[in-house]
Amino acid sequence: KNEVEQSPQNLTAQEGEFITINCSYSVGISALHWLQQHPGGGIVSLFMLSSGKKKHGRLIATINIQEKHSSLHITASHPRDSAVYICAVGGNYGGATNKLIFGTGTLLAVQP
Amino acid sequence: EPEVTQTPSHQVTQMGQEVILRCVPISNHLYFYWYRQILGQKVEFLVSFYNNEISEKSEIFDDQFSVERPDGSNFTLKIRSTKLEDSAMYFCASTGTVRTDTQYFGPGTRLTVL
């Protein structure tokens, strides 16, 4: 069983739609990360959160520690939001490390 | 804004050859990581490095792999004898002075082993 599960794996939306991507995890964590990966391959950190909710522009990330669940929302989606969105968790796994455990990603395509 | 850089962006090599992938983390960062992503698969942890030593390594990181921070700025990943299955995108990441802070990723090196 994967330690980090994302859904859906693929998502197609029309421009302007509200989008939700979900992430569930089964391990203890210190923080959950949402990352964006564009077709060229580079990875950009969007959010790091350990409780509650964070907002940046049209992006909102929430986490429920008790439920071991997080969601990434995109409001008023735009074609430039098309990318792979990855959930990853980091934890106190011992020692001087905070390795991230990654989900498989959600491929989002926003059509004009 | 400071960023993590990686060179080369693409490396093609023959099976059995040694490759060195280079990373320059953000200058005041203390924690360093290598991850890899095989085409179509999820990103996987390889190794973490702190205070000039490996702090954790995955099962993938066998004796063929080594890391080094030779001069206080570069952070390198060496694969001694490449295999076809080493073909992947390799990402370097770094974190500042707090271990659990945001990790900043480099743009990646695409390694192709023929």
Side-chain angles (χ1 to χ4, degrees):
Chain A
K1 183 182 186 300
N2 287 326
E3 294 160 302
V4 181
E5 301 269 6
Q6 282 185 241
S7 64
Q9 288 191 315
N10 295 280
L11 182 55
T12 300
Q14 294 297 313
E15 184 173 356
E17 283 185 6
F18 180 84
I19 288 162
T20 296
I21 299 169
N22 295 299
C23 175
S24 297
Y25 54 93
S26 58
V27 293
I29 69 169
S30 60
L32 183 141
H33 302 248
W34 281 103
L35 308 152
Q36 182 190 56
Q37 186 173 32
H38 277 285
I43 295 173
V44 174
S45 179
L46 298 174
F47 293 104
M48 184 182 77
L49 64 166
S50 53
S51 65
K53 176 177 166 178
K54 285 191 176 179
K55 183 175 190 291
H56 181 69
R58 294 180 295 106
L59 302 179
I60 303 166
T62 64
I63 188 168
N64 183 320
I65 296 294
Q66 287 73 31
E67 300 281 323
K68 293 191 173 180
H69 182 268
S70 175
S71 293
L72 176 69
H73 305 286
I74 305 175
T75 62
S77 59
H78 190 275
R80 65 174 174 267
D81 297 326
S82 299
V84 175
Y85 291 84
I86 304 172
C87 172
V89 298
N92 288 315
Y93 305 123
T97 187
N98 186 38
K99 70 176 184 186
L100 296 184
I101 302 171
F102 288 76
T104 52
T106 295
L107 176 60
L108 171 65
V110 181
Q111 296 178 341
Chain B
E1 187 177 322
E3 58 182 18
V4 177
T5 59
Q6 289 185 244
T7 54
S9 56
H10 191 188
Q11 172 101 41
V12 180
T13 191
Q14 295 291 324
M15 192 168 56
Q17 295 297 302
E18 175 184 285
V19 294
I20 297 176
L21 309 184
R22 291 185 166 79
C23 169
V24 179
I26 295 172
S27 64
N28 61 344
H29 282 193
L30 300 180
Y31 300 88
F32 311 109
Y33 303 85
W34 282 102
Y35 297 91
R36 80 169 186 191
Q37 185 178 32
I38 294 171
L39 188 64
Q41 297 186 20
K42 64 182 179 180
V43 179
E44 303 171 286
F45 167 75
L46 289 179
V47 66
S48 57
F49 192 86
Y50 169 74
N51 201 25
N52 282 319
E53 62 182 20
I54 290 173
S55 40
E56 187 176 356
K57 57 185 181 180
S58 71
E59 291 175 355
I60 303 165
F61 195 89
D62 62 22
D63 291 345
Q64 293 301 311
F65 290 86
S66 62
V67 288
E68 204 175 38
R69 190 159 156 79
D71 57 10
S73 60
N74 290 284
F75 179 49
T76 62
L77 174 69
K78 182 193 290 186
I79 309 175
R80 253 178 279 281
S81 177
T82 50
K83 306 183 186 71
L84 295 176
E85 54 265 36
D86 293 327
S87 295
M89 191 77 149
Y90 288 80
F91 293 101
C92 170
S94 70
T95 296
T97 55
V98 177
R99 178 175 57 85
T100 51
D101 263 351
T102 298
Q103 290 186 21
Y104 293 86
F105 287 80
T109 292
R110 181 165 299 284
L111 176 65
T112 302
V113 183
L114 303 175

